[in-house]
Amino acid sequence: KSNLVVKGSSSIFNQEIDTKYYTFDAKQTIFYSEASYFYKSEKMNWVAGINFNGDALKDSSPSTLPVVNSYNYTNFGLFVQNTYKPIDKVIIESGLRNDFNSDYGSFFLPRLSVLYKINHD
């Protein structure tokens, strides 16, 4: 059994604060997208995919000393995960993920976990 999943979302948030002592005016745009492929066999499941997301804030405040600086971050990621069930009481999960961030560079994230069920329920 297998399937392909594609999902995404985005939002735009206008932020305005105007008081006697302070004015803040900014627009924040956030987006997320992912495509993944799932494959299931009797004892093993695989998930592999890619994602692309971002967060940008444009500060248009008239103040000469802005509290929040404008920023623009994007992130591209690749991932693969395996779930293996050799016997009923043991589940082994492993995964690899690599993210490429526009400001902070590349991050490699390995993962390994083992679950042993004491009870059969």
Side-chain angles (χ1 to χ4, degrees), residues 8 29 50 55 83 98 102 108:
T29 304
I50 60 173
D55 183 356
T83 304
N98 202 5
S102 60
F108 182 69

Side-chain angles (χ1 to χ4, degrees), residues 84 86-93 113-118:
Y84 177 53
I87 59 176
D88 283 343
K89 291 187 169 229
V90 176
I91 298 174
I92 302 168
E93 286 192 351
S113 65
V114 178
L115 172 67
Y116 178 78
K117 297 180 185 178
I118 296 172

Side-chain angles (χ1 to χ4, degrees), residues 1-108:
K1 181 182 177 179
S2 65
N3 65 2
L4 177 67
V5 176
V6 178
K7 53 187 166 181
S9 68
S10 66
S11 66
I12 297 173
F13 182 47
N14 291 317
Q15 305 175 56
E16 294 180 16
I17 300 171
D18 192 6
T19 69
K20 183 177 178 180
Y21 302 104
Y22 177 72
T23 299
F24 178 72
D25 184 10
K27 179 178 179 181
Q28 184 177 21
T29 304
I30 300 170
F31 67 91
Y32 175 83
S33 60
E34 179 182 300
S36 62
Y37 179 74
F38 175 79
Y39 176 77
K40 180 178 182 174
S41 65
E42 185 178 329
K43 292 187 178 253
M44 195 174 297
N45 298 337
W46 287 93
V47 179
I50 60 173
N51 72 297
F52 184 62
N53 54 33
D55 183 356
L57 183 97
K58 179 162 175 45
D59 185 357
S60 301
S61 301
S63 172
T64 57
L65 298 171
V67 175
V68 177
N69 292 320
S70 296
Y71 61 81
N72 186 2
Y73 302 124
T74 56
N75 193 78
F76 173 73
L78 301 167
F79 59 89
V80 63
Q81 177 179 311
N82 176 265
T83 304
Y84 177 53
K85 189 174 180 182
I87 59 176
D88 283 343
K89 291 187 169 229
V90 176
I91 298 174
I92 302 168
E93 286 192 351
S94 60
L96 295 173
R97 179 175 184 89
N98 202 5
D99 282 309
F100 307 93
N101 184 278
S102 60
D103 279 18
Y104 300 106
S106 180
F107 299 92
F108 182 69

